[in-house]
Amino acid sequence: MALPGVEGGLETFVGSIDKGPVKKVLTADTAAVYAEPGVLLFVREGKILAQPFDTGRLELTGEPVTLADAPPPSDLDAEPMVF
């Protein structure tokens, strides 16, 4: 999956490393994460959503389901902590 930032969120793409084109799957406020048994988890408009994902066709199926409110964003960045 590639996650280039664009206005309005992060775009998630899928494809094969070996062949074929990549295909856009969704745009969300966060990176999408794949979870068994075949769903993508992501945040959109302050909600954590799960949406069925067909790994054979590499596309979303069905409608997203709200799981919970998303936690507030962290202010942590990748800078080292000095004590």
Side-chain angles (χ1 to χ4, degrees):
M1 289 188 196
L3 302 165
V6 295
E7 188 173 327
L10 295 171
E11 293 181 332
T12 299
F13 293 83
V14 295
S16 171
I17 294 174
D18 298 335
K19 61 182 177 187
V22 295
K23 142 171 136 171
K24 181 178 168 184
V25 177
L26 63 84
T27 301
D29 299 339
T30 62
V33 175
Y34 178 79
E36 290 293 345
V39 295
L40 288 184
L41 303 171
F42 53 94
V43 173
R44 192 180 281 153
E45 297 179 5
K47 304 288 182 192
I48 300 172
L49 302 171
Q51 188 163 359
F53 182 75
D54 183 322
T55 57
R57 296 186 328 206
L58 299 178
E59 62 188 32
L60 295 168
T61 60
E63 295 297 317
V65 174
T66 300
L67 301 179
D69 289 334
S74 169
D75 64 352
L76 295 177
D77 54 26
E79 294 180 20
M81 295 178 67
V82 179
F83 294 97

